[in-house]
């Protein structure tokens, strides 16, 4: 009840003109109102993992939304301190388990920065190609699940059709679809075969038509527009202050993309643009992801055209793993493999931070080395975790039905959020 | 000396301790009492303009007299530069002032540091654990004296031994 209504003098109760029964005064509150607490999750199909949110509601409006994190906490940072640098690569797959390649990439880049290691050019191109394929997979996954959460089920089947093609490409490349562990410190695990290059070219040929299909389903869909336009709006200043990154930040009009401004891989050797939004709402972020898929397809196409010949791995016996076929036949290589996995390689003492533009945002690794074969401290700057910090701020004032849209707009994955 | 480190030194001569540039990363160590004024200067001064917070982290050095190190990483979107600020905290007075008033995103990051390393942040608006359960009281998992396998609660689970459970096949 507002103060204005409280101060208003209470009028005498009127009588019904026919029956004479007193009619209750409209100015008096007829119903008791109070804030409602609602637990959403941790088991909810739209939370993309196990996330619980304690909602404080006034009617259907969200007054406060407190995320309760940690249901998927596995202590990855603690585990890192107990293994060698090579042994941590498979752990990074399990951070953002729908986009494992980019996690591998971010981690091996950080270790290479620590070692001050230069990777062969072919490896840089291969890394860029696979990372961008992973970005397309990530965005397709996001588009399908976000549309499914909002109620447009059809898009899911269309995006997963293309996602399957690309996951089969990963399967042929490294033998795994999701937890890939394909990147290695100093290069990549194996070379790409001409057949696979042909598969990729064939996929890219009609990928833009496929994107048009999704857009035909969503772009002018009234329900999609009503549920995404003007939802979860965040201004550029707030987005920067919260440390948001990736499409969530670029949707607010901030031109921040590490691939462009701190180039790595082969990103500075190909032509592409950074799509930037205007309104900072869910629709803009959706549109940026669509445009990013187009840009990714452009990058992959150019990288495949330019792909140079040469080694795909640094040949440094102190650091890099030997070829698998040689390990079983050659004693020196077996000793090298054994040494690298039992003792690891020693890194120079020091500390580095290396951020990589994953498809969700800036995925960074802060590594403190004491000169031994294991990281002294390894901190993961996970975009999903930092995006959850802005969740309460972005959810306030919206309807309870919008909450799944707001989860989805970050492209959140709890494995990365809780680590 | 890096120009950014030099600016911090001239502005805060008492709080500035050291600077190091390694692999292209600039790290400045300061006294913990001055962390909020220095961060405010980094954020507000047009010559610095570090408006983006990258992460807050912590490192444990059990042998050192000042045991913990709080690490802040900032980025300037307009100037495209990075800086790392570090401050040492002792085990007895395990607290540092919060920077949530400067960067909103510091809220969750500081809660994570508290949860994992047990460093308190003064004037934090919502000072609770974040990844571990609220009622967890076995300590702080990322400290070096916390064993990797946990503190033994795994051994308290009841295991089903062969004699006690029914065979289904």
């Amino acid at each position: 009840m507002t103060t204005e209504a409280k101060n208003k003098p209470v009028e005498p109760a009127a009588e019904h003109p026919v029956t004479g029964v007193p009619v209750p005064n409209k100015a008096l509150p007829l119903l008791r109102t109070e804030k409602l607490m609602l637990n959403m999750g941790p088991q909810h199909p739209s939370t993309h993992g196990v996330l619980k949110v304690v909602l404080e509601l006034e009617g259907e409006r969200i007054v406060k939304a407190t995320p309760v994190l940690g249901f998927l906490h596995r202590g990855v940072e603690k585990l890192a301190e107990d293994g060698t640098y090579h042994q941590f690569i498979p752990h990074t797959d399990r951070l953002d388990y729908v986009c494992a390649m980019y996690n591998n990439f971010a981690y091996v880049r950080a270790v290479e920065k620590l070692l001050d290691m230069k990777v062969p050019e072919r490896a840089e191109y291969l890394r860029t190609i696979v990372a961008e394929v992973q970005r397309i997979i990530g965005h397709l996954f996001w588009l399908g699940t976000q549309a499914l959460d909002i109620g447009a089920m059809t898009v899911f089947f269309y995006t997963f059709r293309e996602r399957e093609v690309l996951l089969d490409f990963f399967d042929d490349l490294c033998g795994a679809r999701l937890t890939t562990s394909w990147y290695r410190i100093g290069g990549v695990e194996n070379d790409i075969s001409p057949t696979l290059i042909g598969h990729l070219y064939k996929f890219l040929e009609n990928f833009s038509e496929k994107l048009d299909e999704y857009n035909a389903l969503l772009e002018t869909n009234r329900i999609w527009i009503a549920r995404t336009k003007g939802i979860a709006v965040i201004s550029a200043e707030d987005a920067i202050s919260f440390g948001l990154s990736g499409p969530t930040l670029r949707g607010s009009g901030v031109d921040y993309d590490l691939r462009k401004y701190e180039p790595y891989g082969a990103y500075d050797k190909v032509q592409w643009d950074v799509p930037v939004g205007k309104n900072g709402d869910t629709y803009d972020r959706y549109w940026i992801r669509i445009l990013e898929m187009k840009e990714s397809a452009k990058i992959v196409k150019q990288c495949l055209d330019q792909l140079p010949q040469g080694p795909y791995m640094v040949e440094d016996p102190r650091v890099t793993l030997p070829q698998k076929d040689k390990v079983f036949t050659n004693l020196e290589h077996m000793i090298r493999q054994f040494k690298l996995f039992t003792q690891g390689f020693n890194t120079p003492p020091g500390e580095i931070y290396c951020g990589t533009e994953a498809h969700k945002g800036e995925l960074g690794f802060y590594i403190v080395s004491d000169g031994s074969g294991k990281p002294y401290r390894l901190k993961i700057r996970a975009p999903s975790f930092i995006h959850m910090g802005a969740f309460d701020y972005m959810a306030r004032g919206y309807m309870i039905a919008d909450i799944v849209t707001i989860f989805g707009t970050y492209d959140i994955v709890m494995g990365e959020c809780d680590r | 000396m890096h120009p950014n480190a030099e600016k911090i030194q001239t502005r805060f001569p008492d709080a500035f301790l050291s600077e190091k540039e390694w692999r292209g990363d600039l790290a400045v160590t300061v006294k913990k009492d001055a962390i909020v004024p220095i961060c405010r200067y980094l954020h507000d001064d047009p010559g610095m303009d570090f408006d983006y917070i990258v992460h807050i982290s912590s490192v444990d050095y059990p042998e050192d007299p000042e045991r913990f190190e709080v690490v802040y990483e900032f980025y300037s979107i307009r100037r495209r530069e990075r800086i790392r600020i570090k401050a040492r905290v002792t085990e007895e007075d395990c607290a540092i002032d919060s920077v949530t008033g400067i960067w909103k995103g510091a809220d969750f990051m500081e809660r994570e540091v508290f949860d994992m390393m047990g460093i308190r942040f003064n004037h934090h608006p919502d000072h609770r654990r974040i990844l571990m359960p609220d009622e967890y009281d076995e300590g702080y998992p990322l400290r070096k004296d916390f064993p990797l396998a946990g503190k033994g609660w795994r051994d308290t689970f009841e295991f089903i031994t062969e004699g006690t459970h029914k065979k289904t096949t």
Side-chain angles (χ1 to χ4, degrees), chain A residues 63-79:
Chain A
V63 182
K64 195 167 188 280
T66 317
V68 181
L69 307 174
F71 288 94
L72 219 55
H73 179 62
R74 294 148 296 172
V76 174
E77 291 176 11
K78 185 82 177 170
L79 285 170

Side-chain angles (χ1 to χ4, degrees), chain B residues 98-142:
Chain B
S98 166
V99 296
T100 39
I102 306 167
W103 292 276
K104 289 175 187 164
D107 184 341
F108 267 43
M109 299 177 194
E110 287 179 350
R111 273 177 72 185
E112 195 199 342
V113 171
F114 165 65
D115 192 3
M116 292 291 136
M117 205 64 95
I119 299 163
R120 297 196 65 84
F121 288 87
N122 305 326
H123 317 297
H124 189 284
D126 186 18
H127 204 284
R128 288 184 294 132
R129 281 186 176 268
I130 188 161
L131 293 176
M132 306 301 281
D134 282 340
E135 65 278 7
Y136 187 78
D137 60 355
E138 288 173 28
Y140 303 100
L142 277 183

Side-chain angles (χ1 to χ4, degrees), chain B residues 1-158:
Chain B
M1 196 189 259
H2 194 282
N4 283 344
E6 219 170 275
K7 277 190 210 166
I8 296 173
Q9 194 182 22
T10 45
R11 184 77 182 250
F12 301 94
D14 299 334
F16 183 92
L17 292 176
S18 67
E19 67 99 42
K20 195 179 179 190
E21 212 177 341
W22 195 64
R23 299 266 193 266
D25 289 8
L26 171 68
V28 177
T29 309
V30 299
K31 280 186 188 158
K32 75 161 188 174
D33 305 324
I35 193 77
V36 170
I38 287 173
C39 285
R40 192 162 284 288
Y41 166 68
L42 289 175
H43 181 267
D44 293 349
D45 190 81
M48 300 301 254
D49 199 19
F50 287 100
D51 49 356
Y52 187 83
I53 183 157
V54 181
H55 73 91
I56 301 177
S57 180
S58 53
V59 191
D60 181 8
Y61 298 99
E63 276 83 43
D64 289 12
E66 287 175 304
R67 181 173 168 183
F68 300 106
E69 189 170 66
V70 187
V71 183
Y72 302 80
E73 190 107 22
F74 306 122
Y75 182 73
S76 167
I77 293 215
R78 286 181 203 86
R79 294 170 58 235
R80 308 209 184 280
E81 267 186 41
R82 286 182 187 277
I83 193 167
R84 185 181 305 137
I85 302 289
K86 301 194 284 182
R88 281 299 184 108
V89 176
T90 58
E91 197 175 356
E92 293 75 43
D93 180 22
C94 199
I96 191 165
D97 289 339
S98 166
V99 296
T100 39
I102 306 167
W103 292 276
K104 289 175 187 164
D107 184 341
F108 267 43
M109 299 177 194
E110 287 179 350
R111 273 177 72 185
E112 195 199 342
V113 171
F114 165 65
D115 192 3
M116 292 291 136
M117 205 64 95
I119 299 163
R120 297 196 65 84
F121 288 87
N122 305 326
H123 317 297
H124 189 284
D126 186 18
H127 204 284
R128 288 184 294 132
R129 281 186 176 268
I130 188 161
L131 293 176
M132 306 301 281
D134 282 340
E135 65 278 7
Y136 187 78
D137 60 355
E138 288 173 28
Y140 303 100
L142 277 183
R143 288 191 176 185
K144 289 282 174 191
D145 49 14
F146 192 97
L148 182 75
K151 289 204 169 168
W153 57 268
R154 283 184 196 187
D155 306 333
T156 62
F157 287 141
E158 281 178 33

